[in-house]
Amino acid sequence: AQSVSQHNHHVILSEAASLELGCNYSYGGTVNLFWYVQYPGQHLQLLLKYFSGDPLVKGIKGFEAEFIKSKFSFNLRKPSVQWSDTAEYFCAVRAGAGNNRKLIWGLGTSLAVNP
Amino acid sequence: GAGVSQSPRYKVTKRGQDVALRCDPISGHVSLYWYRQALGQGPEFLTYFNYEAQQDKSGLPNDRFSAERPEGSISTLTIQRTEQRDSAMYRCASSPRGREYNEQFFGPGTRLTVL
């Protein structure tokens, strides 16, 4: 069965530190990859997505992610975090071609940024 | 415009009761998704609709769970004979007509507690 692994469940950083959150998936075929974020008290919202083309994807608020097919990975990065980045981050994968719209999600990573 | 809305936001019920959770998608969005998220877990796919047609219900855990979207807009997720293990956040999302990798826009969720 397809699965998504997020390696870090809880991350604590100081402002201006660099961030990298790991995401690996298990599926050998075509995938679309997503990072969603949930800020405290808010809805889940899309940070960025990969569907084809350039494997380095840029999203909102200075986030980026790199799709490395050979490693089945889609790690999220930000060079300098801010206190406002405190949130829960979820990696999700849509596996396969065609009209399948089911997203498989990781467990999430809780990020706390200290001012 | 208005985002995805869900009602009720919180529902406490006794074991054995039936509950109905409502989702009102973004106007004009063709696809509607239901997810369940237990505490400390990522969202888990339940089912999705294109217009009024239920395209995939493979994530519904058992026959106590059902969903409908009779007019292709508002959807109801019904849980019959609730059990304590049904306690979770139930999330609804919608997406516009188009590609399978389109962003899913999430509502605030319904927190269900079964006593």
Side-chain angles (χ1 to χ4, degrees):
Chain A
Q2 295 126 23
S3 65
V4 176
S5 298
Q6 291 184 238
H7 315 300
N8 319 96
H9 295 300
H10 299 282
V11 174
I12 302 173
L13 295 173
S14 298
E15 275 194 316
S18 64
L19 171 71
E20 180 159 3
L21 301 182
C23 174
N24 285 89
Y25 61 93
S26 64
Y27 184 74
T30 302
V31 290
N32 302 135
L33 300 154
F34 305 81
W35 276 97
Y36 277 81
V37 61
Q38 185 170 19
Y39 297 103
Q42 296 189 25
H43 311 175
L44 277 166
Q45 59 185 281
L46 183 70
L47 262 184
L48 46 77
K49 66 182 179 185
Y50 169 81
F51 52 95
S52 68
D54 189 344
L56 184 62
V57 178
K58 295 193 184 297
I60 61 171
K61 303 187 180 184
F63 286 90
E64 66 178 30
E66 185 175 12
F67 171 47
I68 304 180
K69 189 173 182 179
S70 61
K71 295 185 177 180
F72 300 90
S73 71
F74 191 55
N75 292 354
L76 181 71
R77 299 194 293 249
K78 185 171 183 178
S80 176
V81 295
Q82 300 173 309
W83 177 78
S84 57
D85 294 324
T86 295
E88 187 133 21
Y89 293 81
F90 293 94
C91 180
V93 175
R94 191 196 72 84
N99 201 34
N100 168 42
R101 290 174 185 249
K102 178 191 297 187
L103 291 183
I104 309 298
W105 297 72
L107 294 181
T109 297
S110 175
L111 171 65
V113 180
N114 294 322
Chain B
V4 178
S5 61
Q6 292 185 245
S7 60
R9 292 290 307 278
Y10 302 90
K11 177 70 177 178
V12 180
T13 190
K14 292 183 179 179
R15 189 177 52 190
Q17 298 293 305
D18 298 350
V19 295
L21 311 181
R22 173 185 165 126
C23 173
D24 199 341
I26 294 172
S27 177
H29 276 196
V30 165
S31 301
L32 184 148
Y33 311 81
W34 283 101
Y35 295 89
R36 177 172 70 173
Q37 187 175 6
L39 206 58
Q41 305 290 314
E44 173 194 18
F45 171 84
L46 295 177
T47 185
Y48 94 89
F49 295 82
N50 276 345
Y51 299 100
E52 71 281 359
Q54 192 170 20
Q55 298 290 336
D56 184 346
K57 56 181 181 178
S58 63
L60 295 176
N62 52 60
D63 61 8
R64 294 187 297 106
F65 287 72
S66 63
E68 62 174 10
R69 192 186 185 198
E71 297 179 1
S73 179
I74 293 168
S75 176
T76 303
L77 177 70
T78 302
I79 309 173
Q80 296 179 312
R81 305 180 303 281
T82 53
E83 302 177 5
Q84 287 184 324
R85 60 179 171 155
D86 299 333
S87 296
M89 176 73 84
Y90 288 82
R91 298 191 183 276
C92 176
S94 69
S95 66
R97 181 189 184 92
R99 303 309 300 264
E100 60 277 4
Y101 48 75
N102 278 349
E103 175 181 356
Q104 295 181 17
F105 293 82
F106 282 82
T110 294
R111 171 74 65 187
L112 174 65
T113 302
V114 182
L115 302 176

